[in-house]
Amino acid sequence: MVLEDKLYTVKYNPDTVSHLNPDNEICKTCSNKPCTFICPANVYEWDKNNEKMIVNFENCLECGACRIACTKGCLKWEYPKGTKGVIFKQG
């Protein structure tokens, strides 16, 4: 089973507000945008035309790889509130 197939088995309870908030002005200065390729769930996409980061926060696995990879330190990252976000275990 490849990673993409495994990601389809992950269950989410997405919030309506993103818990991932990059600073787009700083993102513009980042030449390689590591968050766009380090994230296993492909949460980040750089929109070249509008020069802004598109954040598909609903797919976030909360692994924190983007926080570590962001060389500019421009990502405000928090865990989703309450019972929102990825569901790791169902009881």
Side-chain angles (χ1 to χ4, degrees):
M1 184 180 270
V2 295
L3 178 61
E4 288 77 19
D5 293 335
K6 290 181 182 181
L7 287 173
Y8 283 115
T9 66
V10 177
K11 297 192 181 344
Y12 300 90
N13 183 19
D15 200 345
T16 56
V17 178
S18 179
H19 62 287
L20 308 169
N21 297 295
D23 183 325
N24 280 304
E25 292 305 311
I26 298 174
C27 288
K28 289 178 188 178
T29 69
C30 183
S31 61
N32 61 352
K33 301 186 183 23
C35 61
T36 62
F37 58 85
I38 195 76
C39 177
N42 297 315
V43 168
Y44 301 93
E45 298 176 59
W46 180 249
D47 181 344
K48 290 180 187 177
N49 294 332
N50 294 312
E51 292 190 308
K52 80 179 245 183
M53 191 63 69
I54 298 171
V55 181
N56 301 305
F57 69 92
E58 301 90 347
N59 298 333
C60 180
L61 298 170
E62 300 166 32
C63 68
C66 57
R67 287 189 295 183
I68 296 166
C70 181
T71 57
K72 299 286 185 174
C74 71
L75 179 61
K76 182 180 176 203
W77 192 103
E78 300 173 351
Y79 283 105
K81 61 184 175 191
T83 59
K84 304 296 182 183
V86 68
I87 300 170
F88 288 108
K89 184 176 178 183
Q90 292 199 356

Coordinates of all heavy atoms in Angstrom, one line a residue:
M1 N 0.9 -1.2 0.0 CA 0.0 0.0 0.0 C 0.9 1.2 0.0 O 1.8 1.4 0.8 CB -0.9 0.0 1.2 CG -1.9 1.1 1.3 SD -3.0 1.1 2.7 CE -4.3 0.1 2.1
V2 N 0.6 2.2 -0.9 CA 1.4 3.4 -1.0 C 0.8 4.4 0.0 O -0.3 4.3 0.4 CB 1.5 4.0 -2.4 CG1 2.2 3.0 -3.3 CG2 0.1 4.2 -3.0
L3 N 1.6 5.5 0.2 CA 1.2 6.5 1.2 C -0.1 7.1 0.9 O -1.0 7.3 1.7 CB 2.3 7.6 1.3 CG 2.0 8.8 2.2 CD1 1.8 8.3 3.6 CD2 3.0 9.8 2.1
E4 N -0.4 7.4 -0.4 CA -1.6 8.0 -0.8 C -2.8 7.2 -0.4 O -3.9 7.6 0.0 CB -1.7 8.3 -2.3 CG -0.8 9.5 -2.7 CD 0.7 9.1 -2.7 OE1 1.1 7.9 -2.8 OE2 1.6 10.1 -2.7
D5 N -2.7 5.8 -0.6 CA -3.8 4.9 -0.2 C -4.0 4.9 1.3 O -5.1 4.9 1.8 CB -3.4 3.5 -0.7 CG -3.4 3.4 -2.2 OD1 -4.1 4.2 -2.9 OD2 -2.7 2.5 -2.7
K6 N -2.9 5.0 2.1 CA -3.0 5.0 3.5 C -3.7 6.3 4.0 O -4.5 6.3 4.9 CB -1.7 4.9 4.2 CG -1.1 3.5 4.0 CD 0.2 3.4 4.7 CE 0.8 1.9 4.4 NZ 2.1 1.8 5.1
L7 N -3.4 7.4 3.3 CA -4.0 8.7 3.7 C -5.5 8.7 3.6 O -6.2 9.3 4.3 CB -3.4 9.8 2.9 CG -2.0 10.2 3.3 CD1 -1.4 11.3 2.3 CD2 -1.9 10.7 4.7
Y8 N -6.0 7.9 2.6 CA -7.5 7.8 2.4 C -8.2 7.1 3.6 O -9.4 7.2 3.8 CB -7.8 7.1 1.1 CG -7.6 8.0 -0.1 CD1 -6.7 7.7 -1.0 CD2 -8.4 9.1 -0.3 CE1 -6.5 8.5 -2.2 CE2 -8.3 9.9 -1.4 CZ -7.3 9.6 -2.3 OH -7.1 10.4 -3.4
T9 N -7.4 6.4 4.4 CA -8.0 5.7 5.6 C -8.1 6.6 6.8 O -8.7 6.2 7.8 CB -7.2 4.4 5.9 OG1 -5.9 4.8 6.4 CG2 -7.1 3.5 4.7
V10 N -7.4 7.8 6.8 CA -7.4 8.7 7.9 C -8.8 9.4 8.1 O -9.3 9.8 7.1 CB -6.3 9.7 7.8 CG1 -6.3 10.7 9.0 CG2 -4.9 9.0 7.7
K11 N -9.3 9.4 9.3 CA -10.6 10.1 9.5 C -10.3 11.4 10.2 O -9.4 11.6 11.0 CB -11.4 9.2 10.4 CG -11.8 7.9 9.8 CD -12.8 7.2 10.5 CE -13.2 5.8 10.0 NZ -12.9 5.4 8.7
Y12 N -11.2 12.4 9.8 CA -11.0 13.8 10.3 C -12.3 14.3 10.8 O -13.4 13.9 10.4 CB -10.6 14.7 9.1 CG -9.3 14.4 8.5 CD1 -9.2 13.5 7.4 CD2 -8.1 14.9 9.0 CE1 -8.0 13.2 6.8 CE2 -6.9 14.6 8.4 CZ -6.8 13.8 7.3 OH -5.7 13.5 6.7
N13 N -12.2 15.2 11.7 CA -13.4 16.0 12.1 C -12.9 17.5 12.0 O -12.5 18.1 12.9 CB -13.7 15.7 13.6 CG -15.0 16.5 14.0 OD1 -15.7 17.0 13.2 ND2 -15.1 16.7 15.3
P14 N -12.9 18.0 10.7 CA -12.3 19.3 10.4 C -13.1 20.5 11.1 O -14.3 20.4 11.3 CB -12.4 19.4 8.9 CG -13.5 18.5 8.5 CD -13.5 17.4 9.5
D15 N -12.3 21.5 11.5 CA -12.9 22.7 12.0 C -13.2 23.6 10.9 O -12.9 23.3 9.7 CB -11.8 23.4 12.9 CG -12.4 24.4 13.9 OD1 -13.6 24.7 13.7 OD2 -11.6 24.8 14.8
T16 N -13.9 24.7 11.1 CA -14.2 25.6 10.1 C -13.2 26.7 9.9 O -13.2 27.5 9.0 CB -15.6 26.3 10.3 OG1 -15.6 26.9 11.6 CG2 -16.7 25.3 10.3
V17 N -12.3 26.8 10.9 CA -11.2 27.7 10.9 C -9.9 27.0 10.9 O -9.7 26.0 11.6 CB -11.3 28.6 12.2 CG1 -10.2 29.7 12.2 CG2 -12.7 29.3 12.2
S18 N -8.9 27.5 10.1 CA -7.6 26.9 10.0 C -6.8 27.0 11.3 O -6.8 28.1 11.9 CB -6.8 27.5 8.8 OG -5.6 26.9 8.7
H19 N -6.1 26.0 11.7 CA -5.1 26.0 12.8 C -3.7 26.2 12.2 O -2.8 26.3 13.0 CB -5.2 24.7 13.6 CG -4.8 23.5 12.9 ND1 -5.7 22.9 11.9 CD2 -3.7 22.8 12.9 CE1 -5.1 21.9 11.4 NE2 -3.9 21.7 12.0
L20 N -3.6 26.4 10.9 CA -2.3 26.6 10.2 C -2.4 27.9 9.5 O -3.2 28.1 8.6 CB -2.1 25.5 9.2 CG -2.2 24.1 9.7 CD1 -2.2 23.1 8.6 CD2 -1.1 23.8 10.7
N21 N -1.6 28.9 9.9 CA -1.6 30.2 9.4 C -0.2 30.7 9.0 O 0.5 31.3 9.8 CB -2.3 31.2 10.4 CG -3.7 30.8 10.7 OD1 -4.5 30.8 9.8 ND2 -4.0 30.3 11.9
P22 N 0.1 30.5 7.7 CA 1.4 31.1 7.3 C 1.3 32.6 7.0 O 0.3 33.1 6.7 CB 1.7 30.3 6.0 CG 0.3 30.0 5.5 CD -0.5 29.8 6.7
D23 N 2.4 33.3 7.2 CA 2.5 34.7 6.9 C 2.9 34.8 5.4 O 4.0 34.5 5.0 CB 3.6 35.3 7.7 CG 3.7 36.8 7.5 OD1 3.5 37.3 6.4 OD2 4.0 37.5 8.5
N24 N 1.9 35.1 4.5 CA 2.1 35.1 3.1 C 3.2 36.1 2.7 O 3.9 35.8 1.7 CB 0.8 35.4 2.4 CG 0.0 34.2 2.3 OD1 0.4 33.2 1.8 ND2 -1.3 34.3 2.8
E25 N 3.4 37.2 3.4 CA 4.5 38.1 3.0 C 5.8 37.5 3.2 O 6.7 37.7 2.3 CB 4.4 39.4 3.8 CG 3.1 40.2 3.5 CD 3.0 40.6 2.0 OE1 4.0 41.0 1.4 OE2 1.9 40.4 1.4
I26 N 6.0 36.7 4.2 CA 7.2 36.0 4.4 C 7.4 34.8 3.4 O 8.4 34.6 2.9 CB 7.4 35.5 5.9 CG1 7.4 36.7 6.8 CG2 8.7 34.7 6.0 CD1 7.4 36.4 8.3
C27 N 6.3 34.2 3.2 CA 6.3 33.0 2.2 C 6.7 33.5 0.8 O 7.4 32.8 0.1 CB 4.9 32.4 2.0 SG 4.3 31.5 3.5
K28 N 6.4 34.7 0.5 CA 6.9 35.3 -0.8 C 8.4 35.3 -1.0 O 8.9 35.2 -2.0 CB 6.3 36.7 -1.0 CG 4.8 36.7 -1.3 CD 4.4 38.2 -1.4 CE 2.9 38.3 -1.5 NZ 2.5 39.7 -1.6
T29 N 9.1 35.4 0.2 CA 10.5 35.5 0.2 C 11.2 34.2 0.2 O 12.4 34.1 0.1 CB 11.0 36.4 1.3 OG1 10.8 35.7 2.6 CG2 10.4 37.7 1.4
C30 N 10.4 33.1 0.4 CA 11.0 31.8 0.5 C 11.2 31.2 -0.9 O 10.2 31.1 -1.6 CB 10.0 30.9 1.3 SG 10.6 29.2 1.6
S31 N 12.4 30.8 -1.2 CA 12.7 30.4 -2.5 C 12.3 28.9 -2.8 O 11.8 28.6 -3.9 CB 14.2 30.5 -2.8 OG 14.9 29.7 -1.9
N32 N 12.4 28.0 -1.8 CA 12.1 26.6 -2.1 C 10.8 26.1 -1.5 O 10.3 25.0 -1.8 CB 13.2 25.7 -1.7 CG 13.5 25.8 -0.2 OD1 13.0 26.6 0.5 ND2 14.4 24.9 0.2
K33 N 10.1 26.9 -0.6 CA 8.9 26.5 0.0 C 8.8 25.0 0.4 O 8.0 24.3 -0.1 CB 7.7 26.9 -1.0 CG 7.8 28.4 -1.3 CD 6.6 28.9 -2.1 CE 6.7 30.3 -2.4 NZ 8.0 31.0 -2.5
P34 N 9.6 24.7 1.4 CA 9.6 23.3 1.8 C 8.3 22.7 2.3 O 8.1 21.5 2.2 CB 10.7 23.2 2.9 CG 10.8 24.6 3.4 CD 10.5 25.5 2.2
C35 N 7.5 23.5 2.9 CA 6.2 23.0 3.4 C 5.3 22.4 2.3 O 4.5 21.5 2.5 CB 5.4 24.1 4.1 SG 5.0 25.5 3.0
T36 N 5.6 22.8 1.0 CA 4.8 22.3 -0.1 C 5.1 20.9 -0.5 O 4.4 20.3 -1.2 CB 4.8 23.2 -1.3 OG1 6.2 23.3 -1.8 CG2 4.3 24.6 -1.0
F37 N 6.3 20.5 -0.1 CA 6.7 19.1 -0.4 C 7.0 18.2 0.8 O 7.1 17.0 0.6 CB 7.8 19.1 -1.5 CG 9.1 19.7 -1.0 CD1 10.0 19.1 -0.3 CD2 9.4 21.1 -1.4 CE1 11.2 19.7 0.1 CE2 10.5 21.7 -1.0 CZ 11.5 21.0 -0.3
I38 N 7.2 18.8 2.0 CA 7.5 18.0 3.1 C 6.2 17.4 3.8 O 6.3 16.3 4.4 CB 8.3 18.8 4.2 CG1 8.9 17.9 5.2 CG2 7.4 19.8 4.9 CD1 10.1 17.2 4.7
C39 N 5.1 18.0 3.6 CA 3.9 17.6 4.2 C 3.4 16.3 3.6 O 3.1 16.3 2.4 CB 2.8 18.7 4.1 SG 1.2 18.2 4.7
P40 N 3.2 15.2 4.3 CA 2.7 14.0 3.8 C 1.3 14.0 3.2 O 0.9 13.2 2.4 CB 2.9 13.0 4.9 CG 2.8 13.8 6.1 CD 3.4 15.1 5.8
A41 N 0.5 15.0 3.7 CA -0.9 15.1 3.3 C -1.1 16.2 2.3 O -2.3 16.5 2.0 CB -1.8 15.4 4.6
N42 N 0.0 16.8 1.8 CA -0.2 17.8 0.7 C -1.1 19.0 1.2 O -1.9 19.4 0.4 CB -0.6 17.2 -0.6 CG 0.4 16.2 -1.1 OD1 1.6 16.5 -1.1 ND2 -0.1 15.1 -1.6
V43 N -0.9 19.4 2.4 CA -1.7 20.5 2.9 C -1.4 21.8 2.2 O -2.3 22.7 2.0 CB -1.6 20.6 4.4 CG1 -2.2 21.9 5.0 CG2 -2.2 19.4 5.1
Y44 N -0.2 22.1 1.9 CA 0.2 23.4 1.4 C 0.4 23.4 -0.1 O 1.0 22.5 -0.7 CB 1.6 23.8 2.0 CG 1.4 23.9 3.5 CD1 1.8 22.8 4.3 CD2 1.0 25.0 4.2 CE1 1.7 22.9 5.7 CE2 0.9 25.1 5.5 CZ 1.2 24.0 6.3 OH 1.1 24.1 7.6
E45 N -0.1 24.5 -0.8 CA 0.1 24.7 -2.2 C 0.4 26.1 -2.4 O -0.3 27.0 -1.9 CB -1.2 24.4 -3.0 CG -1.7 23.0 -2.9 CD -3.1 22.9 -3.6 OE1 -3.1 23.2 -4.8 OE2 -4.0 22.5 -2.9
W46 N 1.4 26.4 -3.2 CA 1.8 27.8 -3.5 C 1.1 28.3 -4.7 O 1.2 27.7 -5.8 CB 3.3 28.0 -3.6 CG 3.7 29.4 -3.9 CD1 4.2 29.9 -5.1 CD2 3.6 30.5 -3.1 NE1 4.4 31.2 -5.0 CE2 4.1 31.6 -3.8 CE3 3.2 30.7 -1.8 CZ2 4.1 32.9 -3.2 CZ3 3.2 31.9 -1.2 CH2 3.7 33.0 -1.9
D47 N 0.3 29.3 -4.6 CA -0.4 29.9 -5.8 C 0.4 31.0 -6.3 O 0.5 32.1 -5.8 CB -1.8 30.5 -5.3 CG -2.6 31.1 -6.4 OD1 -2.1 31.4 -7.5 OD2 -3.8 31.3 -6.1
K48 N 1.1 30.7 -7.4 CA 2.1 31.6 -8.1 C 1.4 32.9 -8.5 O 1.9 33.9 -8.4 CB 2.8 30.9 -9.2 CG 3.8 29.9 -8.8 CD 4.4 29.3 -10.0 CE 5.3 28.1 -9.6 NZ 5.9 27.4 -10.8
N49 N 0.2 32.7 -9.1 CA -0.5 33.9 -9.7 C -0.9 34.9 -8.6 O -0.8 36.1 -8.8 CB -1.8 33.4 -10.4 CG -1.4 32.6 -11.6 OD1 -0.4 32.8 -12.2 ND2 -2.3 31.7 -12.0
N50 N -1.3 34.4 -7.5 CA -1.8 35.3 -6.4 C -0.7 35.5 -5.3 O -0.9 36.2 -4.4 CB -3.1 34.8 -5.8 CG -4.2 34.9 -6.8 OD1 -4.4 35.9 -7.4 ND2 -5.0 33.8 -6.9
E51 N 0.4 34.8 -5.5 CA 1.5 34.9 -4.5 C 1.0 34.7 -3.1 O 1.2 35.5 -2.2 CB 2.3 36.2 -4.6 CG 3.1 36.3 -5.9 CD 4.0 37.5 -5.9 OE1 3.6 38.6 -5.6 OE2 5.2 37.2 -6.1
K52 N 0.3 33.5 -2.9 CA -0.1 33.2 -1.5 C -0.2 31.7 -1.4 O -0.3 30.9 -2.3 CB -1.5 33.9 -1.3 CG -2.7 33.2 -1.8 CD -4.0 33.9 -1.5 CE -4.8 33.0 -0.6 NZ -6.1 33.6 -0.2
M53 N 0.0 31.3 -0.1 CA -0.1 29.9 0.3 C -1.5 29.5 0.4 O -2.3 30.1 1.2 CB 0.7 29.7 1.6 CG 1.0 28.3 1.9 SD 2.0 27.4 0.7 CE 3.6 28.2 0.9
I54 N -1.9 28.4 -0.2 CA -3.2 27.8 0.0 C -3.0 26.7 1.0 O -2.1 25.9 0.8 CB -3.8 27.3 -1.4 CG1 -4.0 28.4 -2.4 CG2 -5.1 26.5 -1.1 CD1 -4.3 28.0 -3.8
V55 N -3.8 26.7 2.0 CA -3.7 25.8 3.1 C -4.9 24.9 3.2 O -6.0 25.4 3.5 CB -3.5 26.5 4.5 CG1 -3.3 25.5 5.6 CG2 -2.3 27.5 4.4
N56 N -4.8 23.7 2.9 CA -5.9 22.7 2.9 C -5.9 22.1 4.3 O -5.6 20.9 4.5 CB -5.8 21.7 1.8 CG -5.8 22.3 0.5 OD1 -6.7 23.0 0.1 ND2 -4.7 22.1 -0.3
F57 N -6.1 22.9 5.3 CA -5.9 22.4 6.7 C -6.8 21.3 7.1 O -6.5 20.5 8.1 CB -6.2 23.6 7.7 CG -7.6 24.0 7.7 CD1 -8.5 23.5 8.7 CD2 -8.1 25.0 6.8 CE1 -9.8 23.9 8.7 CE2 -9.4 25.4 6.9 CZ -10.3 24.9 7.8
E58 N -7.9 21.0 6.4 CA -8.8 19.9 6.7 C -8.1 18.6 6.6 O -8.5 17.6 7.2 CB -10.0 19.9 5.8 CG -10.8 21.2 5.8 CD -10.3 22.2 4.8 OE1 -9.2 22.1 4.2 OE2 -11.1 23.2 4.6
N59 N -7.0 18.5 5.8 CA -6.3 17.2 5.6 C -5.1 17.1 6.5 O -4.3 16.1 6.4 CB -5.7 17.2 4.2 CG -6.9 17.2 3.2 OD1 -8.0 16.8 3.5 ND2 -6.6 17.7 2.0
C60 N -4.8 18.0 7.4 CA -3.6 18.0 8.3 C -3.6 16.8 9.2 O -4.6 16.5 9.9 CB -3.6 19.3 9.1 SG -2.2 19.4 10.2
L61 N -2.4 16.1 9.2 CA -2.2 15.0 10.1 C -1.7 15.4 11.4 O -1.4 14.5 12.3 CB -1.3 14.0 9.4 CG -1.7 13.4 8.1 CD1 -0.6 12.6 7.4 CD2 -3.0 12.5 8.3
E62 N -1.4 16.7 11.6 CA -0.9 17.2 12.9 C 0.5 16.6 13.2 O 0.8 16.5 14.4 CB -1.9 17.0 14.0 CG -3.2 17.7 13.7 CD -4.3 17.3 14.7 OE1 -4.0 16.9 15.9 OE2 -5.5 17.3 14.2
C63 N 1.3 16.3 12.2 CA 2.6 15.7 12.5 C 3.7 16.7 12.8 O 4.7 16.4 13.4 CB 3.0 14.9 11.2 SG 3.4 15.8 9.8
G64 N 3.4 18.0 12.4 CA 4.4 19.1 12.7 C 5.6 19.2 11.7 O 6.5 20.0 12.0
A65 N 5.6 18.4 10.7 CA 6.7 18.4 9.7 C 6.9 19.8 9.1 O 8.0 20.3 8.9 CB 6.5 17.4 8.7
C66 N 5.8 20.5 8.9 CA 5.8 21.8 8.3 C 6.5 22.8 9.2 O 7.2 23.7 8.7 CB 4.4 22.3 7.9 SG 3.2 22.3 9.2
R67 N 6.2 22.7 10.5 CA 6.9 23.6 11.4 C 8.4 23.5 11.4 O 9.1 24.4 11.5 CB 6.4 23.3 12.9 CG 5.0 23.8 13.1 CD 4.7 23.7 14.6 NE 4.7 22.3 15.0 CZ 4.4 21.9 16.2 NH1 4.1 22.7 17.2 NH2 4.5 20.6 16.5
I68 N 8.8 22.2 11.3 CA 10.2 22.0 11.3 C 10.9 22.4 10.0 O 12.0 22.9 10.0 CB 10.5 20.5 11.6 CG1 10.0 20.1 13.0 CG2 12.0 20.1 11.4 CD1 9.9 18.6 13.3
A69 N 10.2 22.1 8.9 CA 10.7 22.4 7.6 C 10.7 23.9 7.2 O 11.5 24.3 6.4 CB 10.0 21.6 6.5
C70 N 9.9 24.7 7.8 CA 9.8 26.1 7.4 C 11.0 26.8 7.9 O 11.2 27.1 9.1 CB 8.5 26.7 8.1 SG 8.3 28.5 7.6
T71 N 11.9 27.1 6.9 CA 13.1 27.8 7.2 C 13.0 29.3 7.5 O 13.9 29.9 8.1 CB 14.1 27.7 6.0 OG1 13.4 28.2 4.8 CG2 14.4 26.2 5.7
K72 N 11.8 29.9 7.2 CA 11.6 31.3 7.5 C 10.9 31.5 8.8 O 10.7 32.6 9.3 CB 10.7 31.9 6.4 CG 11.3 31.9 5.0 CD 12.5 32.9 4.9 CE 13.0 32.9 3.5 NZ 14.0 34.0 3.4
G73 N 10.3 30.4 9.4 CA 9.6 30.5 10.7 C 8.4 31.3 10.6 O 8.0 32.0 11.6
C74 N 7.7 31.2 9.5 CA 6.5 32.1 9.3 C 5.2 31.4 9.5 O 4.1 32.0 9.2 CB 6.6 32.7 7.8 SG 6.2 31.5 6.5
L75 N 5.3 30.2 10.0 CA 4.0 29.4 10.1 C 3.5 29.4 11.5 O 4.2 28.9 12.5 CB 4.2 27.9 9.7 CG 3.1 27.0 9.8 CD1 1.9 27.5 8.9 CD2 3.5 25.6 9.4
K76 N 2.4 30.0 11.7 CA 1.7 29.9 13.1 C 0.9 28.6 13.1 O 0.0 28.4 12.3 CB 0.8 31.1 13.3 CG 0.1 31.1 14.6 CD -0.8 32.3 14.8 CE -1.4 32.2 16.2 NZ -2.7 32.9 16.2
W77 N 1.4 27.7 13.9 CA 0.8 26.3 13.9 C 0.3 26.1 15.3 O 1.0 26.2 16.3 CB 1.9 25.4 13.6 CG 1.5 23.9 13.3 CD1 1.5 23.4 12.1 CD2 1.2 22.9 14.2 NE1 1.1 22.1 12.1 CE2 1.0 21.7 13.5 CE3 1.1 22.8 15.6 CZ2 0.6 20.5 14.1 CZ3 0.7 21.6 16.2 CH2 0.5 20.5 15.4
E78 N -1.0 25.6 15.4 CA -1.6 25.3 16.7 C -2.3 23.9 16.4 O -2.7 23.6 15.3 CB -2.6 26.3 17.1 CG -2.0 27.7 17.3 CD -3.1 28.7 17.6 OE1 -4.3 28.4 17.4 OE2 -2.7 29.8 17.9
Y79 N -2.5 23.2 17.5 CA -3.4 22.1 17.4 C -4.8 22.5 17.2 O -5.2 23.6 17.7 CB -3.3 21.2 18.6 CG -2.1 20.4 18.7 CD1 -1.1 20.7 19.6 CD2 -1.9 19.2 17.9 CE1 0.1 20.0 19.7 CE2 -0.7 18.5 18.0 CZ 0.2 18.9 18.8 OH 1.4 18.1 18.9
P80 N -5.6 21.8 16.4 CA -7.0 22.2 16.3 C -7.7 22.2 17.6 O -7.3 21.4 18.5 CB -7.6 21.1 15.4 CG -6.5 20.5 14.7 CD -5.3 20.6 15.6
K81 N -8.7 23.0 17.8 CA -9.4 23.1 19.1 C -10.3 21.9 19.3 O -10.8 21.3 18.4 CB -10.2 24.4 19.1 CG -11.3 24.6 18.1 CD -11.9 25.9 18.2 CE -12.9 26.0 17.1 NZ -13.4 27.4 16.9
G82 N -10.5 21.7 20.6 CA -11.4 20.7 21.1 C -11.3 19.3 20.4 O -10.3 18.7 20.4
T83 N -12.4 18.9 19.8 CA -12.5 17.6 19.2 C -12.3 17.6 17.7 O -12.7 16.7 17.0 CB -13.9 16.9 19.5 OG1 -14.9 17.8 19.0 CG2 -14.1 16.7 21.0
K84 N -11.7 18.7 17.2 CA -11.5 18.9 15.8 C -10.1 18.3 15.3 O -9.3 18.1 16.1 CB -11.6 20.4 15.4 CG -12.9 21.0 15.9 CD -14.0 20.4 15.1 CE -15.3 21.1 15.5 NZ -16.5 20.5 14.9
G85 N -10.0 18.1 14.0 CA -8.7 17.7 13.5 C -8.8 16.2 13.1 O -9.8 15.6 13.0
V86 N -7.6 15.6 13.0 CA -7.4 14.2 12.7 C -7.9 13.4 13.9 O -7.7 13.7 15.0 CB -6.0 13.9 12.3 CG1 -5.0 14.0 13.4 CG2 -5.9 12.6 11.6
I87 N -8.5 12.2 13.6 CA -9.0 11.3 14.6 C -8.0 10.1 14.6 O -8.0 9.4 13.6 CB -10.4 10.8 14.3 CG1 -11.4 12.0 14.3 CG2 -10.9 9.8 15.3 CD1 -12.8 11.7 13.8
F88 N -7.2 10.0 15.6 CA -6.2 9.0 15.7 C -6.7 7.7 16.2 O -6.2 6.6 15.9 CB -5.0 9.4 16.6 CG -4.2 10.5 15.9 CD1 -4.2 11.8 16.4 CD2 -3.4 10.2 14.9 CE1 -3.4 12.8 15.8 CE2 -2.6 11.1 14.2 CZ -2.6 12.5 14.7
K89 N -7.8 7.7 17.0 CA -8.3 6.5 17.6 C -9.8 6.7 17.8 O -10.3 7.7 18.3 CB -7.6 6.2 18.9 CG -8.0 4.9 19.6 CD -7.3 4.7 20.9 CE -7.7 3.5 21.6 NZ -7.0 3.3 22.8
Q90 N -10.5 5.7 17.4 CA -12.0 5.7 17.6 C -12.3 4.7 18.7 O -11.8 3.6 18.8 CB -12.7 5.4 16.4 CG -12.5 6.4 15.3 CD -13.6 6.3 14.2 OE1 -14.4 5.4 14.3 NE2 -13.6 7.2 13.3
G91 N -13.1 5.2 19.7 CA -13.4 4.4 20.8 C -14.6 3.7 20.8 O -15.4 3.2 20.4

